[in-house]
Amino acid sequence: MNSRKIKTWAWVHKWSSLVCTVFMLLLCLTGLPLIFHHEIGHLLGTEVEAPKMPAGTPRISLDRVLDIAKAQHPDRVVQFASQPEDDDGLWFVTLTPTPAPTDDFKSIAVDARTGTILAQPKFDEGFMYVMFKLHVDLFAGLPGKLFLGFMGLLLLVAIVSGVVLYSPFMRKLDFGTVRREKRPRLKWLDLHNLLGVVTLVWLFVVGSTGMINTWADLLIKYWQYDQLSALLTPYKNEPVVAVSERASVQRSMDAALQHAPGMKLSFIAFPGTSFSSPHHTTFFVRGSEPFTSKLFQPVLVDAKTAQVTASPKLPWYLTALLVSQPLHFGDYGGMPMQILWALLDIATIIVLGSGLYLWLKRGNAAPAGGKAKAAAHEPAPLPGAVQPEPAPAMKVQA
């Protein structure tokens, strides 16, 4: 590249890195415990588990489960009901003041075999809740999500521009070289570049999936407007189904599972909630394979008649969202993948920290008489710094 192109790419890399680095460092630090959120929950005793019972122990009716949960908060309505992916002996029932989306919710864990209330977990407090909220929206709701999504976009720009700058400069050094000279800044520069290259693909994947995750609320609203509204045309002039008019939820669930043989229930959205319609109980089912278990298929059941009325395929943008969420936190490959994600996360923290260090120390890059010589042999840091003034860069859920 000629000097003009190098200056342009250097400017893009420097400022995209500088703007996003602090936020990306925060996301890396908060994302690390979230990789092991289930394991940490078990250690802290906050994970609810159904007691062991013989295989084939009969389940009580889902209607009975909902009645038991609602009796704890009779002034609320049931918004969602779900089962853990690896435990069908447990129901989580979410109750809210109204069907509309809200942060004011109560969760009841009910044993699916005995109807015993096992816990009333509070998901809106504690260390993991703080880590999750900081990682997802900075406690700022949708504006916070979109802001972090923009930071993720700047990260991708920093990675691409860093690669463009890194290639020509590294022709002067063997791959993996970390020069051990008296100047610590030069050693950190080489380490920053090396770890940046090692984490490059992972960083791009995690950054892009994190950015997609920040659009979740908007994508769901668009799906409701674009596709779900068309399915509701036959109900255009009908009033919202009252709770007293609803058919048996157990019968509705049986109809949904019969309509989707071989699939498992993930969660239920009740009429009027953000994932359903005013006239349907929507059952989200999933496959049983590692990949298909992350992909949901909605089955809309008429809340009055318990008859399946539609089971639309999710559009490509929601499929991309569902694939990106577990990939972002390394949920596809069990513990080995989680450990790999954690190691790469730590390496990225070092990349970000070293980028900040190099930027702060840019005024002491080399002795006065040797700056020209040093500049000729220093590659541009990747993804967080550029020649001649290193600047930082960056990872970013459900």
Side-chain angles (χ1 to χ4, degrees):
M1 293 191 296
N2 57 41
S3 61
R4 184 178 179 180
K5 288 183 178 180
I6 289 177
K7 286 182 178 179
T8 300
W9 280 108
W11 185 90
V12 171
H13 182 67
K14 179 175 71 173
W15 288 107
S16 61
S17 298
L18 281 173
V19 172
C20 76
T21 295
V22 173
F23 295 100
M24 294 301 105
L25 185 57
L26 171 67
L27 293 172
C28 276
L29 292 171
T30 56
L32 190 57
L34 292 176
I35 296 173
F36 302 102
H37 64 282
H38 286 303
E39 291 75 14
I40 292 174
H42 285 300
L43 289 175
L44 297 177
T46 57
E47 285 283 306
V48 181
E49 296 181 345
K52 299 294 183 183
M53 289 188 179
T57 301
R59 270 62 173 161
I60 65 173
S61 167
L62 177 55
D63 297 289
R64 177 61 182 149
V65 170
L66 299 178
D67 288 341
I68 292 170
K70 198 171 186 313
Q72 302 300 308
H73 301 282
D75 57 328
R76 292 173 176 254
V77 298
V78 177
Q79 194 175 60
F80 300 106
S82 64
Q83 290 188 302
E85 188 173 322
D86 55 353
D87 188 358
D88 63 356
L90 184 65
W91 281 105
F92 284 102
V93 182
T94 301
L95 301 107
T96 54
T98 67
T102 176
D103 289 331
D104 180 12
F105 64 89
K106 303 290 185 183
S107 183
I108 312 291
V110 182
D111 192 308
R113 292 78 48 93
T114 66
T116 304
I117 295 179
L118 300 176
Q120 297 193 40
K122 295 184 177 180
F123 297 109
D124 56 352
E125 62 181 36
F127 171 75
M128 294 304 293
Y129 170 72
V130 172
M131 293 296 100
F132 177 77
K133 291 295 288 182
L134 286 174
H135 192 84
V136 171
D137 61 10
L138 299 175
F139 287 93
L142 181 59
K145 290 181 181 180
L146 297 179
F147 174 78
L148 290 178
F150 180 63
M151 293 299 104
L153 177 62
L154 290 181
L155 165 67
L156 301 183
V157 172
I159 291 174
V160 172
S161 57
V163 170
V164 173
L165 291 168
Y166 184 76
S167 179
F169 281 113
M170 279 308 294
R171 291 172 185 166
K172 304 168 186 176
L173 294 173
D174 293 331
F175 177 77
T177 298
V178 177
R179 289 166 288 181
R180 302 184 180 279
E181 301 184 14
K182 291 184 178 180
R183 290 183 298 140
R185 179 182 174 280
L186 193 59
K187 180 179 71 175
W188 278 107
L189 179 66
D190 291 338
L191 183 63
H192 177 89
N193 286 332
L194 176 60
L195 290 177
V197 170
V198 169
T199 60
L200 178 66
V201 174
W202 177 83
L203 194 57
F204 195 90
V205 168
V206 171
S208 57
T209 54
M211 182 177 65
I212 293 172
N213 289 341
T214 64
W215 304 336
D217 293 349
L218 298 179
L219 292 177
I220 291 170
K221 287 183 182 298
Y222 180 73
W223 171 68
Q224 292 173 324
Y225 168 79
D226 181 50
Q227 296 193 6
L228 194 58
S229 59
L231 300 174
L232 301 180
T233 302
Y235 300 87
K236 185 175 181 181
N237 298 319
E238 293 190 19
V240 177
V241 179
V243 175
S244 59
E245 299 177 50
R246 295 178 189 175
S248 164
V249 182
Q250 178 67 51
R251 188 153 57 92
S252 298
M253 182 175 69
D254 292 340
L257 293 177
Q258 186 176 2
H259 184 81
M263 304 190 79
K264 299 179 179 180
L265 179 70
S266 181
F267 73 95
I268 306 169
F270 287 85
T273 60
S274 57
F275 284 85
S276 190
S277 82
H279 312 284
H280 293 87
T281 303
T282 304
F283 296 82
F284 286 82
V285 296
R286 55 181 173 81
S288 55
E289 300 298 324
F291 179 74
T292 58
S293 66
K294 310 300 181 183
L295 298 177
F296 296 152
Q297 174 72 33
V299 181
L300 279 70
V301 179
D302 189 294
K304 280 186 178 181
T305 65
Q307 299 295 314
V308 175
T309 61
S311 182
K313 294 289 185 182
L314 289 182
W316 65 268
Y317 51 85
L318 285 187
T319 299
L321 175 65
L322 292 172
V323 171
S324 69
Q325 288 177 337
L327 182 60
H328 184 71
F329 289 107
D331 284 346
Y332 277 116
M335 183 57 69
M337 190 170 181
Q338 288 175 280
I339 293 174
L340 175 62
W341 249 233
L343 292 175
L344 291 169
D345 191 311
I346 293 170
T348 301
I349 291 173
I350 296 174
V351 172
L352 295 170
S354 60
L356 286 172
Y357 167 79
L358 292 167
W359 172 254
L360 294 173
K361 293 291 184 180
R362 66 192 183 280
N364 302 318
K371 285 188 177 180
K373 181 179 178 181
H377 293 87
E378 288 192 9
L382 173 78
V386 296
Q387 186 77 15
E389 295 181 342
M394 188 245 162
K395 162 180 175 175
V396 180
Q397 9 229 309

